Amino acid sequence: MKKLLPILLLMLCGCRAATTVADMTYVDRAGARHSICSRSTPLTLVYLNDIDCHECHAVGDSLRTSAVIARAVSDGRLRVLSVYVGDQQDRWAASDPTEGWTECIDPEFASMATETYQFESLPALFIVDSHSRLRQNNISANDAINYISTHSK
């Protein structure tokens, strides 16, 4: 977490909703590279998290048990991009994946080296549309579920 604090402070000047996001590449469990802007779904829910974050577990559980999220993912209207931003990649690799989600690591902490996202702590949730515009910035799980419910039809 010591690595994150200086970067998190810089993030306070992040972009607002409807800003075009900076494209960043992430590595999934199989070693494949993914980017925020390469997708075929109308919406992407970016979920930045850390294994040692208790609040991250609670938010992740809310997202995993949401019928709205599950339905939108299964219907191809939503991609959940769960990005582990911690430095214990072995623990992340040993954790159970969530079916239907793209689970990635951010080995260079690229998500925190850009001004696209504004957040003060983890977990952090963002919604990006099919035109790579930031629609919701640093929102709660309930706000994400409500937004997806009304905008992913």
Side-chain angles (χ1 to χ4, degrees):
M1 193 63 170
K2 288 181 183 179
K3 292 181 188 177
L4 301 179
L5 293 177
I7 298 169
L8 291 173
L9 293 174
L10 293 175
M11 299 312 297
L12 295 175
C13 63
C15 296
R16 307 235 184 264
T19 301
T20 300
V21 300
D23 200 10
M24 293 177 285
T25 302
Y26 300 97
V27 180
D28 70 14
R29 290 177 181 275
R33 294 193 171 277
H34 298 270
S35 71
I36 288 180
C37 296
S38 67
R39 67 192 168 285
S40 59
T41 58
L43 294 175
T44 297
L45 174 61
V46 180
Y47 166 47
L48 302 179
N49 60 83
D50 189 342
I51 290 171
D52 293 325
C53 167
H54 296 293
E55 184 66 21
C56 294
H57 292 285
V59 167
D61 289 344
S62 293
L63 298 174
R64 280 183 207 85
T65 58
S66 166
V68 169
I69 300 285
R71 193 170 32 257
V73 168
S74 69
D75 291 348
R77 295 176 284 125
L78 175 71
R79 173 178 72 156
V80 178
L81 181 61
S82 174
V83 183
Y84 171 63
V85 297
D87 57 3
Q88 298 178 31
Q89 294 177 17
D90 292 341
R91 285 187 57 209
W92 170 79
S95 65
D96 292 328
T98 301
E99 186 175 337
W101 290 16
T102 302
E103 295 189 345
C104 303
I105 56 172
D106 181 7
E108 282 92 37
F109 298 100
S111 57
M112 294 177 217
T114 178
E115 291 183 358
T116 298
Y117 305 107
Q118 178 182 0
F119 62 97
E120 296 176 19
S121 62
L122 293 174
L125 296 170
F126 309 93
I127 297 177
V128 179
D129 71 13
S130 61
H131 302 289
S132 301
R133 288 186 304 245
L134 187 63
R135 286 298 170 192
Q136 296 289 302
N137 187 2
N138 200 23
I139 57 175
S140 70
N142 286 338
D143 289 343
I145 292 165
N146 290 336
Y147 185 91
I148 291 161
S149 175
T150 59
H151 292 87
S152 70
K153 300 180 185 217

